[in-house]
Amino acid sequence: MSLINETHDASLTSWVSSANVENCDFPIQNLPFATFKRKGSNEALRGGVAIGDQILDLAQVAQSGLFSGEVQDALQAASETTLNKLMGLGSKANSALRLALSRALRTGSEQQATLESCLVAQADAEYGMPCTIGDYTDFYTSVYHATAVGSLFRPDNPLLPNYKWVPIGYHGRSSTIGISGQSFHRPQGQTKAPDADEPSFGPCKRLDYELEMGIFIGKGNEMGHPIKITDADDHVFGLCLFNDWSARDIQAWEYQPLGPFLAKNFASTISPWIVTTEALAPYRVAFSRPAEDPQPMEYLSSSFNSEQGSFDVQLECLLETEKMRNAGDDAALLSKSSFKHSYWTVAQMVTHHSVNGCAMQPGDLLGSGTQSGPEHEEAGSLLELTRGGKEAISLPNGEERKFLEDGDAVIMRGYCAKDGFARIGFGEVVGTVLPALK
Ligand code: MN
């Protein structure tokens, strides 16, 4: 089954000239969604699509009179302050909108004159949460991360026996998920050093990031009616970058027997732009398991999932310390990885989540879990890169880190590239650590 259509054609260019610049994250083949308004204004948030260094204001486009029918309905939905309604329209309506916008933004489009007045420069915009996130679930889909972290927390029993059978996850909270640019106070809580008799209370000493992908649910399912793996892709709106900040010392003391709690819900940061799964179609890759591993159960298997279930999204994580910022130095690259290494696919996460009858709703967010690659230097957290805080990493300006310090900003970026197709990007997600509240 080919998901490639005219919107993916690498030869397409846009009349928005900044979209045609090499290595631009937002060429006409991408067309990701966000909510935005002009910086510092009292305007209402509304949906927008990125094109080059501009945003196409979908509320204005909806009022332009250029479109009708299914596309106009989708534009009306995208005019709201959140994208939940647009997400809930499902992949057919969203695909129709993508095709219409692709044609309208192409070089030579007759709609150029009208749409030029619907552009807002990204430099003049601020972003909102793209949708109301009703529920948030974090998975744990990198077997390399699970093994590395497991060996630190449980040296004699790193990978628990359920890992290769069940897409492991936990229910998180949506109330502290914020948009890129978020800053938060270092969390406080209970911790217990391995050699201490009793726990103590205070600011987290082992603050970490997690390099993840966020997955937004599109069309929901009715309670009691699981999403079949063959339908799962129809229920996914798109992907974003996701930093799932983690307090490792709080986590180590609290996580047994019920799993993550306060170590995980003080802040999580998403990128403003959601890249649709349709835009990601060219960068799908085969999903497979080593022959010696258990193969996924039947409800988690389909030929399409095996042939094209994974996404090759190149991920990178950078650190900008306060000292670097003050000196005007570039952020330091900490690691690179790819979402293609995930042990479970997006479709398997969605299918497993609903297999018991759980209802998924438009705008629900799934975290992929930390996306560490097979090599040590591809780790998606400091916990792994520093081997549990034992080996400090050296930064180009001479600073060292075992865990995050106050003033540190973590930057994550992602992009897809493949011969014969355009390079498309996710932009970035940035978050900054503030000192603990006194
Ligand atoms: Mn996580």
Side-chain angles (χ1 to χ4, degrees):
M1 178 166 60
S2 175
L3 302 174
I4 306 301
N5 58 45
E6 68 173 74
T7 66
H8 302 108
D9 184 342
S11 68
L12 294 179
T13 56
S14 174
W15 49 261
V16 180
S17 56
S18 58
N20 308 325
V21 173
E22 204 183 341
N23 286 331
C24 164
D25 272 352
F26 308 121
I28 193 167
Q29 292 83 0
N30 193 348
L31 305 178
F33 290 83
T35 64
F36 78 101
K37 61 178 187 171
R38 282 185 182 77
K39 240 180 229 173
S41 75
N42 295 323
E43 294 173 354
L45 289 167
R46 65 274 191 188
V49 157
I51 181 77
D53 61 9
Q54 303 290 308
I55 302 170
L56 185 66
D57 181 335
L58 297 179
Q60 264 193 283
V61 178
Q63 289 170 14
S64 69
L66 286 177
F67 300 98
S68 60
E70 190 176 29
V71 172
Q72 180 63 16
D73 291 346
L75 285 167
Q76 293 288 3
S79 304
E80 298 193 358
T81 54
T82 65
L83 298 177
N84 295 75
K85 192 171 177 188
L86 179 75
M87 292 167 156
L89 292 179
S91 51
K92 185 174 161 284
N94 275 288
S95 190
L97 176 60
R98 174 179 165 85
L99 178 60
L101 295 178
S102 170
R103 288 177 176 167
L105 289 165
R106 280 176 208 172
T107 305
S109 159
E110 288 173 3
Q111 290 145 326
Q112 174 177 349
T114 309
L115 292 183
E116 270 175 342
S117 64
C118 302
L119 294 177
V120 175
Q122 287 166 25
D124 297 336
E126 63 183 64
Y127 299 100
M129 288 294 284
C131 56
T132 302
I133 301 172
D135 279 302
Y136 154 58
T137 303
D138 200 22
F139 281 89
Y140 198 48
T141 67
S142 163
V143 69
Y144 307 107
H145 173 73
T147 305
V149 170
S151 65
L152 294 167
F153 281 42
R154 296 176 305 275
D156 32 353
N157 193 14
L159 199 64
L160 295 171
N162 57 3
Y163 187 85
K164 294 186 175 181
W165 294 95
V166 181
I168 299 291
Y170 68 94
H171 287 302
R173 281 183 66 81
S174 53
S175 60
T176 29
I177 300 175
I179 200 77
S180 183
Q182 183 180 37
S183 53
F184 61 91
H185 293 284
R186 176 178 296 272
Q188 311 204 48
Q190 276 197 36
T191 58
K192 190 181 103 46
D195 54 354
D197 292 332
E198 290 186 351
S200 55
F201 181 85
C204 164
K205 294 191 183 79
R206 292 160 69 93
L207 186 61
D208 202 355
Y209 60 83
E210 291 192 330
L211 175 61
E212 303 197 18
M213 302 249 39
I215 298 143
F216 280 103
I217 297 295
K219 194 170 68 183
N221 64 303
E222 208 182 314
M223 177 177 164
H225 295 266
I227 298 169
K228 292 191 180 73
I229 185 120
T230 46
D231 297 331
D233 290 287
D234 193 33
H235 290 266
V236 179
F237 180 75
L239 273 57
C240 70
L241 303 168
F242 183 50
N243 183 351
D244 183 27
W245 306 91
S246 298
R248 300 302 182 192
D249 42 0
I250 296 173
Q251 183 180 1
W253 173 232
E254 74 171 9
Y255 89 106
Q256 298 199 72
L258 285 186
F261 183 29
L262 302 181
K264 295 284 188 172
N265 69 355
F266 54 91
S268 306
T269 317
I270 58 171
S271 60
W273 294 108
I274 305 174
V275 177
T276 63
T277 41
E278 186 172 359
L280 292 169
Y283 320 99
R284 284 177 173 269
V285 291
F287 162 80
S288 65
R289 282 284 168 78
E292 63 273 23
D293 280 15
Q295 297 305 303
M297 283 187 184
E298 199 176 334
Y299 78 98
L300 294 173
S301 301
S302 76
S303 55
F304 179 74
N305 189 62
S306 300
E307 286 156 19
Q308 306 190 48
S310 298
F311 293 97
D312 186 10
V313 181
Q314 310 286 322
L315 298 168
E316 53 187 52
C317 183
L318 304 97
L319 178 67
E320 183 193 70
T321 68
E322 196 164 17
K323 193 173 165 189
M324 290 176 188
R325 196 153 52 244
N326 292 340
D329 295 341
D330 288 338
L333 181 68
L334 296 180
S335 68
K336 288 185 179 191
S337 184
S338 167
F339 190 32
K340 74 178 178 184
H341 298 302
S342 178
Y343 198 78
W344 298 101
T345 65
V346 169
Q348 287 169 327
M349 287 183 243
V350 171
T351 299
H352 182 70
H353 204 308
S354 67
V355 72
N356 61 349
C358 173
M360 313 293 288
Q361 295 184 301
D364 281 357
L365 178 68
L366 311 181
S368 65
T370 308
Q371 292 303 305
S372 300
E375 304 301 327
H376 173 72
E377 56 276 13
E378 294 172 320
S381 69
L382 282 174
L383 182 71
E384 294 159 86
L385 288 173
T386 67
R387 301 186 196 276
K390 289 192 187 73
E391 298 171 9
I393 52 170
S394 301
L395 303 172
N397 68 350
E399 287 184 281
E400 290 193 336
R401 283 292 181 277
K402 287 179 175 169
F403 290 97
L404 296 171
E405 296 188 8
D406 295 344
D408 284 355
V410 175
I411 303 159
M412 295 172 179
R413 298 187 183 129
Y415 67 94
C416 299
K418 184 183 175 182
D419 281 349
F421 290 93
R423 175 199 180 281
I424 65 170
F426 284 74
E428 62 180 29
V429 57
V430 187
T432 306
V433 180
L434 303 175
L437 280 176
K438 291 261 163 35

